[in-house]
Amino acid sequence: MLGFFRADPEYFDLIFVANATAAIKLVADGLRDEDTWCGYHTDSHTSLVGLRELASAGSRCFFSDAEVDDWLSTGADFPGEETGKDCSKSWGLFAYPAQSNMNGRRLPLNWPSRLRKSRSGRMYSLLDAAAFVASAQLDLSDYVTAPDFTALSFYKIFGFPDLGALIVRKDAGHILLNRSYFGGGTVDMVINGTGRTWHATKQGALHEALEDGTPGFHSIAALHCALDVHTRLYGSMVNVSKHAGLLTAALYKHMCSLTHSNGTTMCAIYKGATADYDDRTTQGPTIAFNVRDILGNWVGKSHFERLATRNAIQLRTGGVCNPGGIAAHLDVSPQEMQENYAEGLRCGNGIDEMNGKPTGIIRVSLGAMSNTRDVELFMRFLMTFVDQKNDWLDPADSPIASKGPDNCEKQIQILLNDMPTKRSHLESIESRDRETRLHGIRNVLRRLICR
């Protein structure tokens, strides 16, 4: 599998784990018993942020790319070092995502190389490539500039098997051996006893000393099948990247053009300042957004997801395990986040808005299997929100009080008649599709009104 990422086995080893989070935790185990410092980017997945809890020498969150660039340019110092603190026995870890799992923004891939030049042997890099590898070629052909540790999940590339990996530059592998724990299969000898406890870690390939217990051999074997099918279908990750990028750029432009009849923009899209949907080096095939109704009110993300699901559209909503991205793009301060928590906000509990601000985002992602029809269907779905009020599907606003079956059907027809924009969009669809969509809308209304 190293070849799929253009990694030379002379310089790299691959350790199989359950998923990308398990790969990150394997690196965290090396932090646990040492005098270590951790830096992480604010766009990091929660699993990367958790590393800070094991950094005994402290941690730092970098709130922008510019902060990272400045830090690297000034020698990537440890905290307190500028005041004369002895950090000669300390080592550090800088962790960041290759692609934001919130909005798909792609971060610079040259940071590990710059870090190595400024702090060779004392500061290491961990790249979370889980979101990136799903639609881009991870190129580790130059081991000199490659990250020391790269975490990823195979199922995000191939769909199956449920398996992840940590790719390690062998020059940095000794850091992982700092951990105290050892599992079955990672040692050559263990002595039990009250007088003396001792064990000998395997000294061969790095993965032999770190893959605790029986590896998921069924999943590992299935990787060959997954790779073969993926190659026959798509040719290469370069092809996947071009395909998904073109579809997402088209969808982004369509979404930007959506406005209500009063001129207000319908979609608030959360794009990185340096990201460009026509440039695959700065943006992946992901769009993070929220929807406003014609009155400027937020359409609840949970409500949006329910309607999308009923229209056979799969997407994700919520905080998407990216606390820094959510806080920055939704303009939520740390104090507000704590207050929201105190008032009952929890991950996935259906609270969509607090103090006039959304509590999360709607995220759509495209990939190897997406096609133009998927984009068209999602745009048709989005257009049904044009010129509608946030409560247009709320039974409480029904002109008919009774919930009897006859009155429910009358109520549905009244709502359909009161949706000129929706029907005008449907009229532009060919006859057979129009009837199918109307049938779907009626079914949605029956569930919401006649329940």
Side-chain angles (χ1 to χ4, degrees):
M1 286 308 300
L2 284 172
F4 185 77
F5 305 109
R6 301 176 181 174
D8 188 337
E10 181 179 349
Y11 303 107
F12 293 91
D13 202 347
L14 185 148
I15 303 164
F16 286 113
V17 291
N19 47 43
T21 294
I24 293 168
K25 190 172 182 298
L26 188 59
V27 179
D29 286 340
L31 291 172
R32 191 183 302 272
D33 299 320
E34 299 293 320
D35 183 21
T36 55
W37 174 88
C38 176
Y40 60 96
H41 195 282
T42 190
D43 247 340
S44 294
H45 188 280
T46 301
S47 297
L48 278 187
V49 179
L51 289 166
R52 70 187 185 191
E53 302 303 313
L54 298 178
S56 58
S59 63
R60 174 182 175 182
C61 176
F62 294 89
F63 288 98
S64 68
D65 293 3
E67 275 193 38
V68 177
D69 286 331
D70 289 345
W71 176 66
L72 292 172
S73 298
T74 56
D77 60 325
F78 289 85
E81 193 170 38
E82 70 282 356
T83 62
K85 178 183 176 181
D86 181 16
C87 298
S88 59
K89 295 183 179 180
S90 300
W91 66 274
L93 180 72
F94 172 58
Y96 77 102
Q99 176 178 311
S100 167
N101 72 300
M102 176 193 162
N103 61 6
R105 182 179 79 91
R106 288 178 174 166
L107 285 72
L109 295 178
N110 66 345
W111 284 345
S113 174
R114 293 177 59 190
L115 181 66
R116 190 168 297 120
K117 290 178 181 178
S118 63
R119 283 292 185 182
S120 179
R122 296 189 56 207
M123 189 77 73
Y124 298 87
S125 56
L126 167 58
L127 184 71
D128 175 6
F132 181 83
V133 295
S135 58
Q137 175 64 60
L138 176 64
D139 188 350
L140 301 177
S141 56
D142 186 353
Y143 81 97
V144 175
T145 61
D148 293 301
F149 310 106
T150 302
L152 56 90
S153 293
F154 288 113
Y155 60 84
K156 292 188 177 180
I157 307 172
F158 307 124
F160 84 103
D162 295 337
L163 194 66
L166 180 68
I167 300 177
V168 184
R169 283 181 79 250
K170 290 182 178 179
D171 287 349
H174 63 280
I175 294 298
L176 302 181
L177 300 177
N178 288 334
R179 66 177 189 161
S180 298
Y181 176 80
F182 60 87
T186 65
V187 289
D188 282 326
M189 180 68 70
V190 178
I191 295 177
N192 293 340
T194 56
R196 182 185 183 191
T197 60
W198 175 84
H199 71 276
T201 302
K202 285 190 174 181
Q203 300 298 310
L206 183 65
H207 66 267
E208 292 180 347
L210 294 168
E211 289 178 349
D212 298 313
T214 304
F217 53 87
H218 289 137
S219 293
I220 294 171
L223 271 178
H224 295 286
C225 178
L227 179 59
D228 177 64
V229 172
H230 189 274
T231 302
R232 285 191 288 112
L233 287 175
Y234 310 118
S236 69
M237 288 305 301
V238 173
N239 293 339
V240 172
S241 179
K242 291 179 180 178
H243 170 74
L246 288 172
L247 290 177
T248 310
L251 177 58
Y252 170 73
K253 291 170 185 175
H254 282 305
M255 291 176 65
C256 288
S257 69
L258 286 178
T259 58
H260 296 292
S261 59
N262 60 5
T264 58
T265 300
M266 195 181 86
C267 296
I269 299 177
Y270 307 111
K271 185 174 76 72
T274 60
D276 181 351
Y277 277 93
D278 290 321
D279 181 0
R280 289 186 293 277
T281 64
T282 64
Q283 180 63 49
T286 300
I287 301 176
F289 66 102
N290 273 306
V291 174
R292 288 186 183 273
D293 69 10
I294 192 171
L295 300 179
N297 300 313
W298 294 110
V299 174
K301 64 184 186 303
S302 301
H303 176 63
F304 188 94
E305 183 177 19
R306 283 194 297 271
L307 292 180
T309 301
R310 290 167 181 169
N311 282 271
I313 296 171
Q314 299 300 313
L315 46 77
R316 185 172 176 184
T317 63
V320 297
C321 294
N322 193 311
I326 290 293
H329 287 281
L330 301 184
D331 190 27
V332 183
S333 69
Q335 180 179 345
E336 286 178 298
M337 295 181 79
Q338 287 189 318
E339 289 174 352
N340 290 348
Y341 179 83
E343 292 175 16
L345 179 63
R346 299 291 186 273
C347 180
N349 70 350
I351 298 177
D352 293 333
E353 184 178 335
M354 299 188 80
N355 301 314
K357 298 178 182 180
T359 58
I361 53 97
I362 304 165
R363 188 186 73 189
V364 291
S365 301
L366 300 172
M369 296 186 69
S370 304
N371 55 43
T372 54
R373 181 168 174 78
D374 294 329
V375 173
E376 291 167 359
L377 287 176
F378 184 66
M379 278 305 300
R380 290 176 187 173
F381 172 71
L382 267 182
M383 290 166 71
T384 64
F385 290 85
V386 173
D387 281 354
Q388 303 299 340
K389 291 194 300 180
N390 192 15
D391 57 0
W392 70 277
L393 281 177
D394 192 339
D397 285 350
S398 167
I400 302 173
S402 172
K403 299 297 183 185
D406 292 339
N407 283 332
C408 278
E409 291 301 321
K410 291 178 183 178
Q411 186 175 338
I412 289 170
Q413 192 58 50
I414 289 172
L415 286 172
L416 288 173
N417 292 339
D418 286 341
M419 292 157 53
T421 305
K422 177 182 288 295
R423 292 189 66 87
S424 66
H425 293 322
L426 288 169
E427 294 302 325
S428 66
I429 306 172
E430 62 185 32
S431 176
R432 184 175 178 181
D433 278 353
R434 182 171 66 249
E435 292 305 317
T436 301
R437 302 299 288 171
L438 279 171
H439 179 71
I441 292 170
R442 285 183 179 277
N443 284 339
V444 170
L445 292 172
R446 285 191 186 98
R447 293 189 187 100
L448 290 170
I449 297 170
C450 305
R451 56 191 173 188

